[in-house]
Amino acid sequence: MKNKVVTAAVAAVMCAGIFFSACENAGRSILLGEPAAPAEFSYEESRDEGFESLNKSAQKFAAEFAAAACNLDAYGKNFAVSPVSMYSALALAAECSSGDTRTEILSAMNTDYAALSENYSDIYRSLFEESDTALSSVGNSVWIDSSITADNDCINTLAEKYGCYSYSADFASDNGNANLAVKHFIKQQTRGLIDENLQLGKDTLFTLINTFYLKDTWNMFGEQLDMTKDEYKFTEYDGGTKNTKLMQGNYAGIKVFDGGNFTSCYAQTNMGYTLTFILPDDGVSLDKVFTAENISAAMSADYDGTDHENKIHYHTRCLFPAFSASYNGDVKDILRGMGINSLFEAYACDLSSLMPDFSGAYCPEVKHITKLKVDRRGIEGAAITAIPTAGSPGPDGYENVYLDFVADRAFGFIISDKYSTPLFAGAVASI
């Protein structure tokens, strides 16, 4: 039998309002399985040891994946990847695989099968948010060629533990309509931001897809952030400069973290999504500080603004430019660098958990798409939810010190949620 391939696609996206036409060609597919509506995730559950442990593995993966994806000299522009989207897609791949293939995937994810199987559903549920200002949702799906008989137990497990939809589509004989079905699903899940035909080939056996969508404003009623009165000279990655006014974030009871050759601080949206900056020291190149070690340090840093010894409360606001960032490419080589190899090799790849009667399947690429926009109104993009940190009045006798953290040169960033799950990480090379 001619070798067929499995294509894994990961879509991480920003929000956009869209109305879908009733006459739009949605292609052809058959729903095989669907998850129940996710139950609300509680604060008490976030303190569970299993959730905290798996979340730490996701944080470690995020730092490694984002640092490995950073190649500013090659990009020559801003970039952003979505670690949580990639982590979720790999979770699906781990469930569908066995043997060395599963072992390699789990090792790159910094976890084991029992921990992933038992706790991923909590990570999944924690990513949903709906309020007056914020909307966040995640979607997992597997698209199986109609010629393949998939394992029902695996399909049920994907639905129950991974919030995964399963569809059958005829990639071999009706490839156009199969691709249209995938395209329509992604467009719906991403509120129209990603409207792209993945052009999955006729030899596709199945495709794993994760989508993530986020929108939130800086303030309760969506007011725009004020701009600085004066212009700042922003130094871009290539050494060029641009005079620009910066957005003025809100004061919070935090202080700047000094990482040695970089500093970091953060701004928060109304519902607590956190945008953490990694700002290289003057004279230090951004690519030298945007490392896995420094990303982890910035995510876990102590930003508490209260200095009890000196009786000082620090209040810091971030001054930063509006920016957009994106990514659209194959990240297979990045994952190879993280130890995942057999997934991409015919006959070495073991996908028997989903397809017990088929051998020779492998994954030729992992397509990753992200779009992100940060402006005066808020954050739109693929991201994870971040907890707000607000200062509270201290006891009498404490001095209040107000400081500005100025992002006036090329910087790295992380967007995370109130459970510290990292969803976006990238770099701003120019504005």
Side-chain angles (χ1 to χ4, degrees), residues 51 94 116 121 227 242 270 283 292 312 336 351 370 399 414 424:
F51 173 82
L116 182 69
S121 61
M227 303 296 291
K242 182 180 295 183
N270 181 57
I312 297 175
R336 279 188 177 277
L351 296 166
T370 70
E399 178 187 2
I414 309 147
F424 249 139

Side-chain angles (χ1 to χ4, degrees), residues 72 229 275 311 355:
L72 291 171
K229 181 179 179 181
L275 171 59
K311 291 191 173 182
M355 301 184 302

Side-chain angles (χ1 to χ4, degrees), residues 2-6 145 147 172 202-205 358 360-362:
K2 180 182 177 181
N3 289 350
K4 287 194 173 184
V5 300
V6 178
D145 184 71
S147 67
K202 292 184 177 182
D203 54 356
T204 297
L205 289 179
F358 195 95
Y362 70 102

Side-chain angles (χ1 to χ4, degrees), residues 294-309:
N294 289 348
I295 293 171
S296 293
M299 286 193 291
S300 61
D302 180 8
Y303 295 100
D304 185 1
T306 301
D307 180 349
H308 292 292
E309 181 179 353

Side-chain angles (χ1 to χ4, degrees), residues 21 188 224 260 312 334 383 403:
S21 169
Q188 285 186 315
Q224 293 186 347
I312 297 175
I334 295 174
L403 303 172

Side-chain angles (χ1 to χ4, degrees), residues 49-67:
E49 182 178 348
F51 173 82
E52 289 186 334
S53 177
L54 190 62
N55 202 22
K56 288 187 186 306
S57 80
Q59 293 171 20
K60 187 173 187 293
F61 172 84
E64 294 169 347
F65 177 65

